[in-house]
């Protein structure tokens, strides 16, 4: 059995400008809003399947195309091709610590726009891999009620300081922590236990700052794990999902949907 995949059928695309940046945004569905930020290499068939799954569960999904070619398969070649721009672009600041990334301004504007056009109390934001931490940075805005950080990998974890870095600036993290303490904001984080690109130290920093408001799902990927995951297991909500009850990544995806329903319905 392989991971679920889908294509661009039914998705409408239009440019959206916010925070000084313009990207095409793909939209589909009805119900409370969820901004689904793609992982490297972009809006690939696995990300589209996740988007369709959210739509099937009653959400309006907006996917910004930040890099890569939408619909292109996730391959070694497409990953290598799509890494070049985000790794050097000022918009993402892939290596910087304690950094307010300009892409967060775009995502907050998109979240506000989606919130204005959908029912519910606010919107969710799901970030994955390279974009995982961007979901929490978006939660500086009051429109975001359900940030989900799946295997957050920025800043790229080269050295101890970057492994500990939460992926957003101290003022942004302080604002999110205040929202957690005073407004009931909650966040959900997901990673594989042996994933060095989404380091455990990063989750430890976030847990220390956000406390019980930060729910962590860590899936065992150590040798001999019951899910059969390899040591390079990384993409919790896409590549590693097998649609079988009890499968750890499938159950993690179910928890993400439950979290969004709890927070947004």
């Amino acid at each position: 059995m392989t991971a679920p995949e889908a294509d661009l059928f039914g998705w409408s695309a239009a440019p959206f400008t916010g925070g000084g940046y313009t990207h095409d945004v793909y939209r589909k569905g009805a119900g409370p809003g969820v901004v689904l930020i793609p992982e490297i290499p972009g809006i690939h068939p696995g990300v589209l399947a996740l988007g369709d799954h959210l739509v099937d569960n009653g959400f309006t999904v907006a996917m910004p195309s930040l890099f890569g070619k939408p619909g292109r398969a996730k391959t070694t070649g497409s990953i290598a091709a799509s890494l070049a721009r985000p790794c050097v672009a000022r918009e993402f600041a892939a290596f910087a610590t304690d950094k307010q990334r300009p892409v967060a301004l775009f995502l907050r504007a998109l979240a506000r726009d989606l919130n204005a056009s959908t029912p519910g109390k606010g919107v969710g934001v799901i970030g994955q891999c390279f974009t995982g931490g961007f979901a929490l940075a978006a939660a500086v805005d009051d429109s975001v009620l359900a940030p989900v950080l799946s295997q957050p990998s920025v800043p790229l974890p080269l050295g101890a300081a970057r492994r500990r870095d939460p992926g957003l600036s101290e003022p942004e993290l302080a604002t999110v922590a205040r929202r957690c303490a005073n407004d009931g904001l909650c966040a959900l984080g997901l990673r594989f236990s042996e994933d060095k690109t989404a380091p455990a130290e990063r989750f430890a920093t976030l847990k220390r700052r956000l406390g019980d408001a930060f729910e962590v799902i860590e899936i065992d990927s150590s040798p001999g794990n019951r899910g059969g995951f390899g040591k390079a297991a990384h993409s919790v909500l896409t590549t590693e999902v097998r649609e079988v009850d009890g499968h750890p990544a499938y159950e993690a995806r179910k928890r993400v949907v439950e979290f969004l329903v709890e927070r947004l319905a």
Side-chain angles (χ1 to χ4, degrees), residues 65-85:
S65 181
L66 302 179
F67 37 72
K69 181 179 179 180
R72 185 180 181 185
K74 183 180 181 180
T75 64
T76 301
S78 67
I79 291 171
S82 65
L83 268 174
R85 191 185 86 80

Side-chain angles (χ1 to χ4, degrees), residues 70-201:
R72 185 180 181 185
K74 183 180 181 180
T75 64
T76 301
S78 67
I79 291 171
S82 65
L83 268 174
R85 191 185 86 80
C87 279
V88 300
R90 176 183 175 274
E91 184 178 6
F92 304 111
F95 295 94
T97 58
D98 189 13
K99 177 68 174 179
Q100 177 172 306
R101 291 168 170 81
V103 69
L105 302 176
F106 172 85
L107 294 169
R108 290 170 201 155
L110 178 58
R112 288 192 297 271
D113 178 77
L114 185 62
N115 186 43
S117 62
T118 54
K121 300 176 291 185
V123 301
V125 181
I126 301 175
Q128 307 169 84
C129 176
F130 191 88
T131 69
F134 302 168
L136 195 62
V140 167
D141 195 274
D142 290 344
S143 66
V144 178
L145 298 184
V148 178
L149 298 70
S150 192
Q151 73 272 1
S153 306
V154 169
L156 300 178
L158 304 176
R162 291 188 178 92
R163 289 194 299 271
R164 292 191 303 267
D165 190 272
L168 63 169
S169 69
E170 173 54 34
E172 289 173 312
L173 183 55
T175 297
V176 171
R178 282 196 300 271
R179 290 194 65 204
C180 289
N182 301 327
D183 303 332
L185 179 69
C186 293
L188 175 62
L190 308 98
R191 67 178 297 272
F192 284 101
S193 64
E194 309 308 302
D195 187 359
K196 305 303 182 187
T197 60
E201 295 94 327

Side-chain angles (χ1 to χ4, degrees), residues 166-254:
L168 63 169
S169 69
E170 173 54 34
E172 289 173 312
L173 183 55
T175 297
V176 171
R178 282 196 300 271
R179 290 194 65 204
C180 289
N182 301 327
D183 303 332
L185 179 69
C186 293
L188 175 62
L190 308 98
R191 67 178 297 272
F192 284 101
S193 64
E194 309 308 302
D195 187 359
K196 305 303 182 187
T197 60
E201 295 94 327
R202 181 162 298 151
F203 273 31
T205 295
L206 292 170
K207 190 67 176 177
R208 185 171 61 252
R209 294 295 299 273
L210 306 182
D212 291 341
F214 185 47
E215 177 184 344
V216 174
I217 296 176
E218 185 174 85
I219 300 174
D220 182 16
S221 57
S222 63
N225 66 84
R226 71 180 182 87
F229 299 109
K231 63 180 181 180
H234 176 64
S235 297
V236 177
L237 299 176
T238 57
T239 307
E240 300 297 340
V241 170
R242 302 294 181 270
E243 294 187 313
V244 177
D245 282 338
H247 184 271
Y250 180 68
E251 296 299 322
R253 192 185 70 175
K254 289 200 312 191

